[in-house]
């Protein structure tokens, strides 16, 4: 009897504490995986075993090793015993990658070389010798201007001509100040391009800019590329350079981690590198009690982390080189803190929606965004774009934002809410970019921007400097307080726009210090 109870106790104890499984280069998927000597070898093996894991189990990848594949979460942990994906051993974080290295090239002439490429779809991430390159574009570096547009279906440029038929390529349209949308050209007739939008539903506004990409006809600068998904080939312009002397990596997997509703999952001490779409993709809602900490994410084709769920912690990560948002989150009770986020959305046309090229995008309630460093961002540093309630944005350092688009902010709030506190943030160098717009003069760039219908925000103890338009701005918003802040060397220290009407009321300023550096500033 005592022996039976002892065995039962040991079995229950093992379930409670969990089992560690090991994965390393040179392992064997036929092994049990329960030690370094018996380690598995591949992510495919991890995925095949995931449904059999118990709460408290850990899957540990060996430091210094690299693994190709998409981790597919297929089991939930519990509140006391989450399922953990982490690292073991010493050295650099283990790498989970979606990159394929190209080694065999065909000379197509005129400086263009091609290679076979098998992928899950159109790639959106190519790096050469550790530097990211965009698709080839026409015209190079600048925009053509379209004189008219028909809603969200076509643009007409009287100087376009039909010498080159661009059907099947993509047109990237500067629809307004804050939108740079990627669209598929369904037909080209004379001076008109007809398209299906891959980005927003916004209508194009005449006299803005566009360029064309994703065509072999647009390759003429080193590193520019075109991916023919049907032929399963990628074409890259090397000019007179020898592609054999370069390291070319192309993302061939859409995601590096995929979770559709499993709960109590922890990711820690991992390096995710190279995806064609969202790198860590937590789809739909129900991805509750997720923790992502002490990890690195680099070279995401779209979002670094896209998560729908409640009770999420994203802490102490380094996120760089994403084509869209570094962290895009929706749900309740999120804590996003101590992350370093940089180089987000800096290649025009690689994001599907340009106004999603933010450091952190918020679309939920009860959120704390604290002690993050956010720098070199295509659009806004932190963007609150829904009726999110009870948000605290505190003690973040935000520098060099609005590098690609216009009409945004270091911190941007776009809708009404019950309680927003923007406290103790430091924001420097909000630029704004008017290339491809009809504007002349200074860009539209704000440090802290409360846009239409924003409400119940307490903006306090912030320092904002070097903004091309305004340090602080209220645009048709109500019931907000701006107190005990500093503004230095901005076009306007404080700017109210369209501040009249029944929905504009009860905004107060108290004890702020607005400092103009030159006599032209207000």
């Amino acid at each position: 009897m005592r022996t039976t109870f002892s065995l039962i106790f040991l079995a229950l104890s093992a379930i409670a504490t969990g089992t560690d499984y090991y994965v390393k280069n040179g392992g064997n998927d036929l092994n049990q995986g329960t030690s370094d000597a018996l380690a598995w070898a591949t992510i495919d093996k991890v995925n095949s075993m995931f449904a059999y894991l118990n709460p408290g189990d850990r899957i540990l990848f060996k430091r210094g090793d690299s693994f190709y594949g998409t981790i597919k979460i297929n089991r939930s942990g519990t509140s006391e015993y989450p399922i953990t994906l982490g690292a073991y051993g010493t050295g650099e974080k283990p790498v989970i990658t979606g990159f394929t290295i190209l080694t065999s090239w065909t000379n197509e002439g005129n400086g263009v070389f091609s290679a076979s490429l098998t992928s899950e779809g159109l790639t959106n991430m190519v790096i050469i010798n550790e530097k990211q390159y965009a698709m080839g574009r026409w015209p190079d570096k600048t925009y053509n201007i379209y004189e008219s547009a028909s809603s969200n279906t076509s643009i007409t440029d009287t100087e376009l001509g039909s010498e080159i038929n661009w059907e099947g390529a993509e047109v990237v349209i500067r629809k307004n100040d804050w939108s740079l949308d990627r669209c598929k050209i369904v037909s080209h007739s004379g001076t008109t391009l007809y398209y299906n939008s891959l980005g927003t539903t916004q209508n194009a506004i005449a006299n803005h800019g566009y360029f064309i990409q994703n065509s072999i006809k647009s390759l003429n600068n080193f590193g520019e590329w075109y991916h023919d998904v049907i032929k399963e080939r990628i074409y890259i312009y090397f000019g007179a350079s020898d592609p054999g002397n370069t390291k070319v990596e192309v993302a061939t997997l859409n995601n590096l981690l995929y979770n559709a509703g499993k709960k109590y999952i922890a990711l820690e001490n991992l390096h995710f590198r190279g995806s064609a779409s969202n790198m860590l993709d937590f789809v739909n809602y129900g991805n509750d009690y997720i923790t992502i900490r002490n990890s690195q994410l680099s070279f995401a084709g779209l979002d670094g982390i896209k998560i729908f769920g409640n009770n999420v912690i994203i802490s102490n990560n380094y996120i760089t080189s994403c084509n869209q948002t570094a962290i895009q989150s929706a749900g309740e009770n999120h804590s996003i803190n101590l992350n370093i986020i940089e180089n987000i959305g800096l290649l025009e046309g690689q994001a599907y929606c340009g106004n999603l090229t933010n450091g952190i995008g918020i679309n939920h309630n009860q959120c704390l965004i604290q002690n993050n460093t956010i720098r070199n961002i295509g659009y806004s540093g932190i963007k609150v774009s829904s009726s999110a309630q009870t948000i605290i944005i505190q003690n973040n350092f935000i520098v060099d934002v609005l590098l690609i688009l216009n009409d945004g902010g270091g911190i941007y709030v776009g809708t009404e809410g019950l309680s927003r506190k923007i406290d103790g943030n430091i924001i420097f160098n909000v630029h704004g970019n008017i290339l491809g717009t009809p504007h002349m003069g200074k860009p539209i760039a704000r440090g802290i921007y409360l846009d239409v219908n924003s409400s119940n925000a307490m903006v306090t103890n912030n320092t904002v400097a070097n903004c091309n338009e305004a340090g602080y701005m209220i645009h048709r918003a109500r019931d907000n307080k701006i107190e005990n802040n500093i503004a230095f060397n901005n076009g306007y220290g404080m700017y109210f726009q369209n501040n009249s009407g029944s929905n504009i009321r009860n905004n107060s300023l108290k004890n702020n210090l607005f400092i103009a550096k030159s006599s032209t500033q207000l």
Side-chain angles (χ1 to χ4, degrees):
M1 181 72 73
R2 288 178 181 173
T3 301
T4 301
F5 278 123
S6 296
L7 291 173
I8 293 172
F9 175 79
L10 289 173
L12 292 175
S13 179
I15 292 174
T17 57
T19 301
D20 288 346
Y21 295 95
Y22 298 82
V23 192
K24 70 177 182 179
N25 296 161
N28 189 326
D29 286 346
L30 297 178
N31 287 339
Q32 293 180 342
T34 51
S35 69
D36 175 76
L38 298 174
W40 299 328
T42 67
I43 289 176
D44 285 342
K45 178 63 175 181
V46 171
N47 291 337
S48 71
M49 297 300 296
F50 218 104
Y52 303 101
L53 297 182
N54 293 307
D57 286 354
R58 299 192 304 168
I59 296 177
L60 304 177
F61 297 87
K62 188 173 183 179
R63 289 179 178 271
D65 286 357
S66 181
F67 306 89
Y68 175 87
T70 302
I71 299 172
K72 298 177 181 178
I73 306 296
N74 196 27
R75 188 79 164 178
S76 294
T78 65
S79 58
E80 288 187 281
Y81 302 105
I83 292 175
T84 300
L85 288 89
Y88 79 98
T90 60
E92 298 292 329
K93 292 180 176 67
V95 175
I96 311 300
T97 185
F99 275 135
T100 295
I101 299 176
L102 305 183
T103 56
S104 180
W105 296 95
T106 299
N107 190 338
E108 302 286 350
N110 298 318
V112 176
F113 292 77
S114 72
S116 175
L117 185 69
T118 301
S119 66
E120 292 185 335
L122 178 67
T123 191
N124 205 30
M125 182 59 63
V126 174
I127 64 173
I128 302 175
N129 295 335
E130 300 298 326
K131 179 183 177 181
Q132 183 186 354
Y133 287 83
M135 293 178 178
R137 60 180 280 180
W138 178 89
D140 293 330
K141 298 181 181 179
T142 61
Y143 289 80
N144 284 352
I145 303 300
Y146 57 95
E147 288 78 22
S148 62
S150 177
S151 63
N152 194 24
T153 59
S154 72
I155 57 172
T156 298
D157 172 11
T158 58
E159 298 179 354
L160 174 60
S162 56
E163 293 81 6
I164 300 175
N165 190 319
W166 293 106
E167 182 177 329
E170 295 177 354
V171 56
V172 179
I173 306 174
R174 188 77 184 253
K175 293 181 175 178
N176 48 46
D177 280 297
W178 60 90
S179 296
L180 187 63
D181 281 0
R182 190 168 157 180
C183 310
K184 179 76 171 180
I185 300 174
V186 294
S187 67
H188 176 185
S189 177
T191 59
T192 300
L193 299 173
Y194 297 89
Y195 64 85
N196 290 329
S197 180
L198 304 173
T200 70
T201 58
Q202 296 183 82
N203 295 335
I205 299 175
N207 299 315
H208 284 73
Y210 74 95
F211 62 85
I212 294 170
Q213 66 177 20
N214 199 25
S215 168
I216 196 171
K217 305 165 191 174
S218 63
L219 305 183
N220 63 348
N221 288 296
F222 181 87
E224 291 183 335
W225 55 271
Y226 159 65
H227 182 196
D228 190 324
V229 178
I230 296 176
K231 293 183 179 180
E232 296 189 328
R233 295 195 74 79
I234 191 167
Y235 300 80
I236 302 179
Y237 186 88
F238 288 96
S241 300
D242 181 1
N245 294 329
T246 60
K247 182 181 180 182
V248 180
E249 299 175 89
V250 180
T252 51
L253 298 177
N254 289 330
N255 320 116
L256 298 187
L257 184 138
Y258 183 89
N259 184 13
K262 302 305 178 183
K263 310 176 192 303
Y264 298 104
I265 303 295
L267 311 177
E268 58 187 19
N269 301 312
L270 299 172
H271 180 182
F272 296 93
R273 183 176 181 272
S275 67
S277 185
N278 302 319
M279 184 163 281
L280 307 185
D281 204 0
F282 297 83
V283 299
N284 304 320
Y285 281 91
N287 301 286
D288 301 336
Y289 300 97
I290 304 297
T291 298
I292 304 168
R293 61 191 171 212
N294 302 326
S295 293
Q296 180 173 342
L297 290 77
S298 55
F299 301 114
L302 292 176
D303 298 341
I305 300 171
K306 186 170 186 178
I307 186 164
F308 298 84
N310 301 327
N311 303 294
V312 171
I313 298 173
I314 303 174
S315 178
N316 201 38
N317 302 288
Y318 174 55
I319 306 174
T320 183
S321 304
C322 305
N323 286 331
Q324 281 194 173
T325 306
I327 301 172
Q328 179 70 42
S329 63
E332 295 189 0
N333 297 321
H334 286 213
S335 176
I336 302 173
N337 64 88
L338 295 169
N339 301 285
I340 297 175
I341 296 169
E342 62 183 6
N343 304 325
I344 305 301
L346 298 184
L347 294 185
E348 297 158 300
Q350 294 303 117
Y352 284 96
C353 300
N355 62 13
L356 294 183
T357 55
N358 306 298
I360 299 174
I362 304 302
N363 190 16
H364 52 66
N365 302 330
Q366 298 175 340
C367 177
L368 173 64
I369 306 170
Q370 188 175 45
N371 297 325
N372 300 284
T373 297
I374 302 171
R375 57 192 174 217
N376 298 332
I377 309 297
Y379 191 44
S380 295
I382 298 173
K383 184 180 180 184
V384 180
S385 56
S386 70
S387 297
Q389 318 297 337
T390 318
I391 291 178
I392 299 174
I393 302 173
Q394 189 171 53
N395 298 340
N396 300 282
F397 178 65
I398 302 170
V399 60
D400 290 318
V401 299
L402 275 183
L403 295 175
I404 301 300
L405 291 175
N406 216 23
D407 199 2
I411 297 174
Y412 171 91
V413 179
T415 57
E416 62 184 347
L418 292 180
S419 176
R420 280 88 175 269
K421 186 176 183 181
I422 302 173
D423 177 30
N425 302 282
I426 298 174
I427 302 172
F428 283 4
N429 306 340
V430 183
H431 299 266
N433 189 329
I434 60 175
L435 191 64
T437 75
H439 300 310
M440 302 293 289
K442 288 185 178 181
I444 306 171
R446 298 95 181 211
I448 296 177
Y449 180 14
L450 306 181
D451 203 357
V452 177
N453 293 324
S454 296
S455 60
N456 299 302
M458 167 60 81
V459 180
T460 184
N461 302 317
N462 301 282
T463 299
V464 175
N466 310 333
C467 301
N468 270 327
E469 187 184 43
Y472 302 85
M473 180 168 176
I474 291 179
H475 177 208
R476 302 205 324 250
R478 59 181 173 80
D479 300 312
N480 300 291
K481 296 180 180 180
I482 297 181
E483 299 180 358
N484 304 309
N485 300 282
I486 297 174
F488 173 75
N489 191 34
N490 306 292
Y492 305 97
M494 179 71 220
Y495 186 17
F496 292 89
Q497 185 178 20
N498 297 340
N499 199 51
S500 62
S502 59
N503 63 331
I504 312 303
R505 59 187 182 275
N506 300 333
N507 296 299
S508 67
L509 283 74
K510 183 166 64 174
N511 296 333
N512 300 286
L513 189 59
F514 301 117
I515 305 169
K517 187 177 178 180
S518 75
S519 60
T520 60
Q521 296 173 345
L522 301 179

